[in-house]
Amino acid sequence: MTDRPRTLLLLRHAKSDYPQGVADHERPLAPRGEREAALAGDWLRAHAPKVDAVLCSTATRTRETLARTRIDAPVNYDDRLYDAMPGAVIEEINSVESLFGSDVETLLVIGHEPTMSSVALGLATADGSNTTAAERISTKFPTSAIAVLRTGEPWDQLALGGAALVGFHVPR
């Protein structure tokens, strides 16, 4: 553990549309998603005022979610985060220092379900985590929802059970 706490924000993309003939990767946000992504951004700025870096899936709906949040931070768009297994997301989180440098204290990851809930619950320690938040996540991780985890581990050493789940917010 280090003496510098880190915050991990896991954001599921906002509500997407389903236009006919559009491949899943290219689906845009629905009007409701545009509104809720902006609300997610408002919540993030109020509760995590300084996001240092963003890992974002390359899907259109995740890119549009990030744009609507108006979070201003360096971004790495990553194909591995689209249709990812939880282990692949954790591997990408482990590479944060090589991607962005060692000054990342707050990291935002924008991805998809069922992966975001699996990562949140997998990283959460049994002791020290908010059990109400964990129960809500295990029931449903809706579009635009944000799981907040804290860890003392360096990003490259974060592993299962290595963070405390401290909150879960669904902007509506």
Side-chain angles (χ1 to χ4, degrees), residues 9 18 27 33 63 73 81 91 100-101 115 119 141 161 170:
L9 305 164
Y18 293 87
R27 287 191 298 122
R63 289 173 175 265
L81 297 179
E91 286 174 6
F100 300 105
T115 308
V119 171
F141 199 114
V170 180

Side-chain angles (χ1 to χ4, degrees), residues 14 19 26 43 50 54-55 59 66-67 87-88 103 113 117 132 165 172:
E26 307 312 318
W43 188 88
K50 186 176 185 304
V54 180
L55 294 174
L66 175 58
D103 295 333
E113 265 300 282
S117 60
T132 302
L165 174 64
R172 296 284 187 257

Side-chain angles (χ1 to χ4, degrees), residues 29-54:
L29 292 182
R32 182 182 114 192
E34 292 174 355
R35 180 177 48 81
E36 290 174 356
L39 292 173
D42 292 344
W43 188 88
L44 286 167
R45 278 187 298 289
H47 294 88
K50 186 176 185 304
V51 172
D52 298 306
V54 180

Side-chain angles (χ1 to χ4, degrees), residues 9-15 29 32-49 51 64-71 108 110 142-148 169-172:
L9 305 164
L10 300 174
L11 170 62
R12 181 181 177 193
H13 64 78
K15 180 71 177 165
L29 292 182
R32 182 182 114 192
E34 292 174 355
R35 180 177 48 81
E36 290 174 356
L39 292 173
D42 292 344
W43 188 88
L44 286 167
R45 278 187 298 289
H47 294 88
V51 172
E64 289 181 357
T65 297
L66 175 58
R68 293 284 178 166
T69 65
R70 298 184 335 268
I71 295 296
L108 173 62
I110 305 175
T143 54
S144 301
I146 305 160
V148 181
H169 178 71
V170 180
R172 296 284 187 257

